[in-house]
Amino acid sequence: MRVEADTDAVAAHVAERLHQALEQAAVLGLATGRTMEPVYAALLQRLKALPPQQLALLLGRWRSFNLDEYVGLAKDHPQSFASFMQRQLAGPLQLPGGCLQIPDGCAADPEAEARRYSAAVIAAGGIDLQLLGLGSNGHVGFNEPPCSASESCRCLGLSPATREQNAAAFEGDPAAVPERAITLGTSEILAARRVLLVVTGTAKAQILRRALQEPPCPEVPASWLQRHPQLEVVVDQAAAAALKFS
Ligand code: GLP
């Protein structure tokens, strides 16, 4: 557990971790959401400061899999997670097409797309470093509660709480948030060699405490992360406010 003073310090630390992983040619598991915006900005800053040849080498072997995507939103829809990644990383870094993977929200058969995506992760040798945010209802990726520790990549319905949480990106209208998504499951997330959970802000303090300091349970999907042998948690002081330290 690492408690940083604020979101900037969290972002700087996580960006350093991601940079190290890229240098090791790791397969990254990437996340979206507001928590990740300063993280990706800090990563961009680090990478753009590299000598051009070093940067080209690093980008040339970039392999990443995003956690999730809304069903029904095309890659170029401004609110799709594909667009988010394009804005935050792929565009500014001019990443070669295909190295940053994400489920296809417009696949004709979303269940088949989820199976294809899971198989693609396995074919890449699995995820070396999985970056995770925390949903305000305890979800990771879009693994909505209740959720066991052994769910696979799948298409599922989003809860009213999650559509409310993500409404800001849809002009504040929860009804405009897609009803379904494709997400890597808890099984793929727990199979990652290392997991980096990043949580910031007072609004996440209580759910973070439940995720980390209460017995794991389906009602808080993130709580299964307690079973991961290589979990690193990076939070700011606001998110850490409800944690009990011995
Ligand atoms: C979203 C994503 C998650 C993300 C979480 C937190 O719905 N599916 O991957 O980590 O909710 O989002 P935010 O960082 O905006 O609070």
Side-chain angles (χ1 to χ4, degrees):
M1 162 78 65
R2 193 177 170 108
V3 183
E4 298 282 2
D6 53 28
T7 52
D8 284 348
V10 167
H13 177 74
V14 176
E16 186 184 346
R17 281 278 185 274
L18 292 171
H19 185 183
Q20 286 165 349
L22 285 167
E23 280 179 336
Q24 293 158 6
V27 176
L28 299 179
L30 296 179
T32 53
R34 283 155 289 189
T35 311
M36 298 306 156
E37 289 178 4
V39 168
Y40 293 149
L43 179 62
L44 264 188
Q45 205 179 7
R46 280 186 80 95
L47 296 182
K48 293 228 160 164
L50 293 174
Q53 277 183 330
Q54 218 176 312
L55 178 62
L57 184 70
L58 207 128
L59 299 182
R61 56 191 194 197
W62 181 295
R63 285 180 303 163
S64 67
F65 289 88
N66 263 75
L67 280 165
D68 45 19
E69 180 59 285
Y70 291 116
V71 167
L73 298 193
K75 281 185 173 36
D76 58 358
H77 186 287
Q79 271 75 44
S80 71
F81 289 159
S83 283
F84 176 97
M85 295 308 294
Q86 187 64 30
R87 282 193 300 273
Q88 300 287 320
L89 285 181
L93 289 173
Q94 296 181 291
L95 276 173
C99 59
L100 192 153
Q101 301 212 41
I102 190 157
D104 180 0
C106 273
D109 180 347
E111 290 295 349
E113 170 62 5
R115 288 192 294 276
R116 180 202 67 80
Y117 196 67
S118 179
V121 170
I122 292 167
I127 290 167
D128 292 308
L129 177 63
Q130 178 65 61
L131 181 62
L132 290 178
L134 178 64
S136 46
N137 65 352
H139 73 217
V140 281
F142 268 136
N143 290 280
E144 296 280 51
C147 174
S148 79
S150 55
E151 297 290 341
S152 301
C153 186
R154 65 204 181 287
C155 174
L156 80 179
L158 297 177
S159 67
T162 291
R163 294 176 74 209
E164 187 76 44
Q165 182 199 319
N166 289 4
F170 293 81
E171 296 176 346
D173 180 9
V177 179
E179 290 175 7
R180 294 191 303 154
I182 297 171
T183 183
L184 285 181
T186 42
S187 66
E188 284 98 356
I189 290 170
L190 291 169
R193 287 169 195 93
R194 288 190 294 141
V195 174
L196 188 51
L197 176 67
V198 185
V199 188
T200 55
T202 315
K204 303 270 180 77
Q206 287 302 332
I207 194 68
L208 180 67
R209 182 190 57 76
R210 290 181 66 198
L212 298 182
Q213 298 188 328
E214 287 185 6
C217 66
E219 283 65 41
V220 184
S223 65
W224 300 122
L225 298 174
Q226 291 179 37
R227 295 184 176 172
H228 197 286
Q230 296 288 333
L231 169 68
E232 184 183 6
V233 184
V234 186
V235 301
D236 65 358
Q237 281 176 356
L243 295 175
K244 293 176 181 66
F245 294 102
S246 53

